[in-house]
Amino acid sequence: MAERPSAGRIGAAVDDRPGHRLVRVVSAAMTQAHLRSADGRPILLAIVGPTATGKSTLALTLAEALGGEIVSCDSTAVYRGFDIGTDKVPVSERRGVPHHLIDVVDPTDVYTAARYSREAAKAVRAVTARDRLPVLVGGTGLYYRALTRGLFPGPEGDPLLRARLSRVARRRGVESLHRWLARHDADSAGRIQPRDEKRLVRALEVWLLTGRTLTDHFADTRSLIADYLVITVALRLTVDALETRIARRVDQQFAAGLLDEITTLWARGIPPDAGPFLGLVYRQAVEHLRGLRDEQETRELIVRENRRYARRQLIWFRKEPNLQWIEAPGDEDETYATTLRLLEVARAAPVSSDR
């Protein structure tokens, strides 16, 4: 066991056994203290940031060490059967740590940020009630904001307006909706992919019906866990380091059977236009299976699209308040030790009023 520097009242150590790195916390202070802030508020520890930065590894290590449970913050991980392209941690590799908000709906179901905020808040409170530490992890910025800062209920959907916007998408391309949204709500356009018709239509619908953008509405909302101290660590890497990790992960996804997973889902009756198939990785892989491009071109395209997505995620999270940034991957020893130090410092300090 190689000792790491002290992390305040919580000291970290490295377990050198294969598959068990960074899994122990060495301190007599490991009681209920890390579950609440100095002024008595329950704590939610969150690990966020762009794709392929090692968030899941760090969160799992922390949860195992601190007696925590994982609450996913990923808009694709909620769908059953979509495992490889969403990089879900296999059950066999979760080290006995409970995971929540993963595999909760069928691929044909509609799952919204509003529903996520309700169910994630319920999961967080249930974890705390079990005297365990909730550890939020993921890169879906809208879900993170919905949970930690609130999500306005919004106007009722207008079928006629939605149909009109969908006709615009068919005539001029979905990207035209994205350009339209960008002119009026740059923040929302920055987080919504240019071909995500459903979310683009909703963002435009809200603006057209209320005269206010989604971004403006979000600013007036209140979190369902407003009584919590949310301690958020955000990971980011250099462009070169991130690209290397993305390319490696895409290769791993194909080696793990991404294409077989898709064909199995089709054989089970999941329609090709189901929501998860339109997301990153799956959309490009489906196009390959339909003969649009060969496998190597598809891998390269997925890497490029992941890079673009990572830039959008970084832009989003940079605008979130009170994040503690670490410029290193989550699977490095020092990232773990630094996170423990940040947790202890934040736990003992008053929270900013703009959370």
Side-chain angles (χ1 to χ4, degrees):
M1 296 287 291
E3 294 294 332
R4 308 301 297 173
S6 171
R9 293 178 60 207
I10 301 176
V14 179
D15 186 334
D16 292 321
R17 292 175 295 160
H20 291 77
R21 299 174 68 239
L22 308 176
V23 300
R24 294 182 61 190
V25 169
V26 183
S27 175
M30 282 302 299
T31 61
Q32 297 292 311
H34 62 282
L35 296 178
R36 292 190 175 271
S37 66
D39 58 3
R41 285 168 294 170
I43 288 176
L44 169 64
L45 175 61
I47 309 297
V48 302
T51 187
T53 50
K55 299 184 295 295
S56 294
T57 299
L58 177 60
L60 182 58
T61 298
L62 289 162
E64 184 182 23
L66 298 173
E69 299 183 20
I70 298 290
V71 180
S72 174
C73 186
D74 188 309
S75 61
T76 55
V78 298
Y79 294 105
R80 301 184 187 99
F82 287 74
D83 302 331
I84 297 172
T86 59
D87 292 296
K88 293 174 187 171
V89 178
V91 174
S92 61
E93 297 177 15
R94 294 179 187 175
R95 307 177 198 165
V97 174
H99 283 56
H100 308 280
L101 276 296
I102 293 176
D103 295 334
V104 295
V105 294
D106 291 328
T108 53
D109 292 340
V110 175
Y111 196 85
T112 65
R115 177 176 172 183
Y116 172 80
S117 67
R118 294 191 300 270
E119 295 185 353
K122 182 178 179 181
V124 166
R125 292 189 182 280
V127 173
T128 300
R130 289 190 287 272
D131 290 329
R132 296 176 65 81
L133 178 69
V135 181
L136 186 76
V137 59
T140 302
L142 178 60
Y143 280 19
Y144 172 80
R145 179 175 294 180
L147 175 62
T148 62
R149 296 171 63 190
L151 190 69
F152 89 110
E156 291 290 329
D158 185 325
L160 293 178
L161 178 55
R162 291 184 177 186
R164 175 182 144 210
L165 291 170
S166 293
R167 286 196 299 272
V168 172
R170 288 195 298 273
R171 268 198 327 267
R172 303 178 185 176
V174 177
E175 293 83 356
S176 67
L177 297 183
H178 191 267
R179 292 191 295 270
W180 188 8
L181 180 64
R183 289 196 294 270
H184 301 283
D185 186 359
D187 284 347
S188 290
R191 64 175 169 77
I192 300 176
Q193 295 191 42
R195 294 181 61 185
D196 191 339
E197 181 177 341
K198 181 180 72 174
R199 293 175 68 194
L200 289 168
V201 166
R202 179 55 177 166
L204 287 167
E205 178 187 43
V206 168
W207 172 63
L208 291 168
L209 290 176
T210 69
R212 300 181 67 207
T213 66
L214 274 175
T215 302
D216 288 340
H217 283 292
F218 290 159
D220 296 335
T221 59
R222 178 176 171 83
S223 168
L224 294 176
I225 55 168
D227 54 319
Y228 273 69
L229 171 59
V230 182
I231 300 172
T232 304
V233 171
L235 305 179
R236 62 184 168 198
L237 305 176
T238 66
V239 172
D240 289 343
L242 185 61
E243 181 165 357
T244 298
R245 290 173 69 94
I246 288 173
R248 182 168 65 243
R249 190 173 69 178
V250 171
D251 287 341
Q252 291 170 343
Q253 288 171 335
F254 275 82
L258 173 65
L259 301 180
D260 288 340
E261 179 180 83
I262 293 172
T263 56
T264 298
L265 288 166
W266 285 346
R268 283 172 39 199
I270 307 301
D273 61 350
F277 280 134
L278 305 180
L280 185 59
V281 178
Y282 286 102
R283 184 177 71 248
Q284 293 82 11
V286 165
E287 290 171 347
H288 160 62
L289 289 171
R290 289 175 168 172
L292 187 60
R293 67 183 71 85
D294 66 29
E295 183 174 313
Q296 185 56 40
E297 290 175 323
T298 299
R299 293 184 185 217
E300 293 169 357
L301 176 60
I302 293 174
V303 170
R304 291 197 302 273
E305 292 295 333
N306 264 297
R307 288 203 311 264
R308 295 190 184 99
Y309 178 50
R311 285 197 294 271
R312 291 195 297 273
Q313 289 176 298
L314 190 57
I315 290 169
W316 177 279
F317 284 114
R318 279 174 175 163
K319 295 178 181 179
E320 293 296 324
N322 305 318
L323 270 61
Q324 304 289 327
W325 288 92
I326 298 178
E327 302 206 16
D331 46 17
E332 286 192 356
D333 298 358
E334 191 57 35
T335 304
Y336 172 71
T338 299
T339 302
L340 290 176
R341 288 193 291 270
L342 291 172
L343 171 61
E344 181 60 16
V345 169
R347 190 195 69 79
V351 70
S352 171
S353 61
D354 61 353
R355 167 65 70 184

